[in-house]
Amino acid sequence: MTSPAPGGRRLFLPVLVGAFILISVAEVWLLTAVGSRIGVLPTLAILIGEALLGAWLLRREGSKAWQALVDAYSTGRLPSGQLADAALVLVGGMMLILPGFLTDIVGLACLLPWTRPLARRALGLLIARHTTTIGWLDVGGQKSPYDAGTVIPGETVESPTSPTSDPTIRGEIED
């Protein structure tokens, strides 16, 4: 039994579609503005140069992020930062594939090693703010029936002797 989607989740898809449309319009406007100022060929050269730089960075930083992830798993550590870095490198690479200056700026911020910690922190703050505005943790579509701070009354019952402490159960009594 799944609970109905909260109001914030109903708006997620239309907001996402609207954001993609706005970003596309802004990219076309910016490309047109830059192209009219410096010319078509220099604009294309900048876009191709950014794509080549992005491909090189994606390959270099992607292999570093993958190696850090493998190292964390092999040493038994929780790879939370490494997973975030790998995700940011993937997102940054995808942004650099898209033609346009705005997406290239975001992609470079996710790919460059000195800006990625800032992007990771911003992503963490965004996720934290989103989960606190929801007000509850949604795990597998199940919502807790209790509000935060709800106290469930109960009592502690002492268990009878455990099998490990009772010598008759362990077979240690000699006749």
Side-chain angles (χ1 to χ4, degrees), residues 159-166 169:
S159 65
T161 56
S162 67
T164 57
S165 65
D166 190 359
I169 295 176

Side-chain angles (χ1 to χ4, degrees), residues 130-151:
H130 179 70
T131 56
T132 56
T133 56
I134 291 175
W136 50 270
L137 183 61
D138 185 11
V139 180
Q142 298 294 322
K143 181 180 177 184
S144 172
Y146 303 106
D147 292 330
T150 301
V151 177

Side-chain angles (χ1 to χ4, degrees), residues 7 12 16 32 34 40-41 90 92-94 96 99 124 126 128-129 142 148 166-168 171 175:
F12 182 72
L16 190 64
T32 305
V34 170
V40 175
L41 291 179
L90 180 65
M94 289 173 37
L96 283 167
L126 181 71
R129 190 170 65 131
Q142 298 294 322
D166 190 359
T168 59
D175 293 328

Side-chain angles (χ1 to χ4, degrees), residues 30-164:
L30 189 59
L31 282 171
T32 305
V34 170
S36 66
R37 294 257 184 197
I38 65 172
V40 175
L41 291 179
T43 303
L44 287 175
I46 290 171
L47 288 175
I48 291 170
E50 286 177 344
L52 292 174
L53 175 68
W56 177 75
L57 277 173
L58 178 62
R59 183 176 181 153
R60 190 182 101 193
E61 295 301 318
S63 65
K64 283 182 182 179
W66 181 256
Q67 187 60 45
L69 192 61
V70 168
D71 289 344
Y73 274 122
S74 65
T75 58
R77 291 180 290 127
L78 185 64
S80 58
Q82 291 84 1
L83 279 175
D85 278 350
L88 285 171
V89 167
L90 180 65
V91 167
M94 289 173 37
M95 291 291 199
L96 283 167
I97 290 172
L98 298 172
F101 295 120
L102 295 176
T103 53
D104 287 346
I105 290 169
V106 173
L108 286 173
C110 292
L111 274 177
L112 292 173
W114 57 87
T115 57
R116 195 176 324 125
L118 297 173
R120 187 183 334 123
R121 201 169 307 132
L123 180 65
L125 289 174
L126 181 71
I127 291 171
R129 190 170 65 131
H130 179 70
T131 56
T132 56
T133 56
I134 291 175
W136 50 270
L137 183 61
D138 185 11
V139 180
Q142 298 294 322
K143 181 180 177 184
S144 172
Y146 303 106
D147 292 330
T150 301
V151 177
I152 302 171
E155 62 184 71
T156 303
V157 179
E158 294 293 327
S159 65
T161 56
S162 67
T164 57

